[in-house]
């Protein structure tokens, strides 16, 4: 009997040693290794691989807060690049699901609130007019909460700038609908507030070309030529490597050339 027990234990150990990582990811060490690898992939812009790894963590540890927040952000980022509407919506639905679960776990943390705001904004852009306005309006409270938790959160400042810009430039029908259904909160938003928010985002993350491009768009709307050209020149001076960054750099150059004609 003792001999059989020893053999059984030996076989069990062999089975665990040969098991895939996802089987043992529930252990603290396994989860931390996966999270570290996923973060490295994300920093190197290998978004699909990073998302797969965060989702692997969530299979073993469904309430892992870091994985939920990062998976939500990556679904938004990947979804934005997709051209097929159905696929895009599927990514955004998943982003909202992960963000909601993270928010339930830690409703006062900046990352959960930022993930909620980002996923709401993403879904709003692929929704009908009323649903779009509802999503955009809902974003504000989550952005305020994110910045109350961490007032140096560059992503939250950038998204707040986008929120101000969108709400400040609603067309007549959108403005009327916003006042009718949501109390006219868009009246608080101005292009100046949008510019200030995105400037703050750049202050805390000066290497993100998306921030400069969006700030230039705000200045263009404000007809502030000097500020717009200065911002575009700063954007073009950045070192960019990814396809998305290179495309933004190309757009910045085109916009700058238009001003210099």
């Amino acid at each position: 009997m003792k001999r059989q027990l020893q053999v059984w234990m030996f076989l069990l150990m062999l089975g665990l040693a040969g098991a895939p990582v996802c089987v043992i990811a529930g252990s603290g060490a396994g989860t931390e290794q996966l999270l570290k690898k996923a973060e490295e992939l994300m920093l190197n812009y290998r978004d699909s691989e990073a998302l797969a790894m965060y989702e692997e963590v969530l299979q073993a540890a469904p309430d892992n807060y870091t994985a939920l927040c990062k998976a939500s952000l990556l679904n938004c980022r990947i979804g934005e690049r997709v051209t097929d509407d159905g696929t895009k919506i599927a990514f955004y639905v998943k982003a909202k699901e992960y963000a909601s679960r993270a928010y339930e776990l830690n409703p006062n943390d900046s990352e959960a609130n930022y993930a909620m705001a980002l996923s709401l904004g993403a879904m709003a852009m692929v929704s009908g007019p009323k649903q779009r306005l509802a999503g955009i309006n809902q974003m504000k409270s989550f952005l305020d909460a994110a910045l109350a938790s961490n007032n140096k959160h560059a992503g939250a400042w950038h998204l707040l700038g986008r929120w101000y810009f969108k709400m400040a430039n609603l067309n007549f029908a959108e403005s009327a609908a916003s006042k009718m259904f949501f109390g006219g909160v868009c009246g608080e938003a101005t292009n100046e507030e949008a510019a200030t928010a995105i400037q703050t985002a750049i202050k805390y993350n000066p290497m993100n070309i998306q921030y400069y491009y969006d700030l230039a768009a705000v200045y263009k709307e404000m007809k502030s030529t000097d500020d717009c050209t200065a911002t575009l020149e700063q954007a073009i001076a950045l070192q960019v490597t990814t396809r998305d960054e290179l495309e933004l750099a190309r757009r910045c150059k085109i916009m700058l050339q238009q001003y210099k004609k």
Side-chain angles (χ1 to χ4, degrees):
M1 184 68 177
K2 184 177 180 181
R3 174 63 176 172
Q4 289 178 335
L5 181 61
Q6 290 176 335
V7 171
W8 183 84
M9 289 296 293
F10 177 72
L11 291 173
L12 178 61
M13 291 174 66
L14 283 178
L16 286 174
V21 177
C22 60
V23 175
I24 61 173
S27 66
T31 298
E32 289 304 315
Q33 289 175 359
L34 283 177
L35 289 173
K36 183 177 180 180
K37 180 61 178 176
E39 182 70 16
E40 290 174 0
L41 290 168
M42 194 172 176
L43 290 173
N44 286 296
Y45 306 102
R46 294 163 64 179
D47 291 348
S48 295
E49 294 173 68
L51 176 58
M53 195 154 289
Y54 282 123
E55 289 182 332
E56 190 173 334
V57 171
L58 292 171
Q59 287 178 4
D63 290 338
N64 187 285
Y65 179 72
T66 298
L68 287 169
C69 290
K70 297 293 188 181
S72 178
L73 300 184
L74 284 166
N75 270 286
C76 285
R77 187 187 294 179
I78 295 170
E80 189 174 2
R81 302 190 194 109
V82 174
T83 55
D84 176 71
D85 289 343
T87 306
K88 183 185 291 288
I89 291 171
F91 274 109
Y92 291 162
V93 168
K94 202 68 178 176
K96 179 63 163 53
E97 175 192 330
Y98 286 138
S100 298
R101 285 163 55 185
Y103 184 77
E104 288 177 4
L105 290 171
N106 200 346
N108 296 317
D109 187 65
S110 60
E111 292 304 320
N113 280 282
Y114 175 63
M116 283 294 296
L118 190 64
S119 60
L120 281 167
M123 281 299 298
M125 292 301 101
V126 292
S127 301
K130 184 177 179 180
Q131 293 81 3
R132 180 165 60 251
L133 283 173
I136 293 171
N137 274 277
Q138 291 169 14
M139 289 171 63
K140 184 63 163 53
S141 62
F142 291 107
L143 289 172
D144 289 344
L147 291 170
S149 174
N150 177 11
N151 67 358
K152 296 182 179 180
H153 196 297
W157 279 112
H158 173 239
L159 199 55
L160 180 62
R162 280 188 162 189
W163 185 90
Y164 280 131
F165 187 61
K166 173 62 180 175
M167 299 304 279
N169 295 284
L170 295 176
N171 60 39
F172 178 79
E174 290 173 329
S175 180
S178 184
K179 290 176 182 177
M180 179 181 297
F181 296 113
F182 310 109
V185 296
C186 60
E188 303 171 1
T190 65
N191 288 325
E192 289 76 13
E193 288 174 306
T196 298
I198 301 176
Q199 287 168 357
T200 308
I202 291 173
K203 174 183 175 181
Y204 294 124
N205 184 4
M207 301 306 295
N208 192 315
I209 193 171
Q210 180 74 61
Y211 298 174
Y212 293 88
Y213 178 77
D214 288 350
L215 181 58
V218 175
Y219 284 139
K220 183 178 180 180
E221 181 66 26
M222 295 169 64
K223 296 180 171 47
S224 182
T225 303
D226 291 343
D227 288 329
C228 186
T229 54
T231 301
L232 291 169
E233 287 170 350
Q234 290 173 351
I236 293 169
L238 295 174
Q239 290 187 341
V240 294
T241 55
T242 71
R243 183 182 301 176
D244 292 342
E245 291 173 335
L246 289 168
E247 173 59 22
L248 286 169
R250 185 186 71 83
R251 293 181 188 180
C252 287
K253 290 175 183 177
I254 292 172
M255 195 186 303
L256 185 59
Q257 288 170 358
Q258 292 172 345
Y259 274 107
K260 290 185 174 181
K261 284 182 179 179

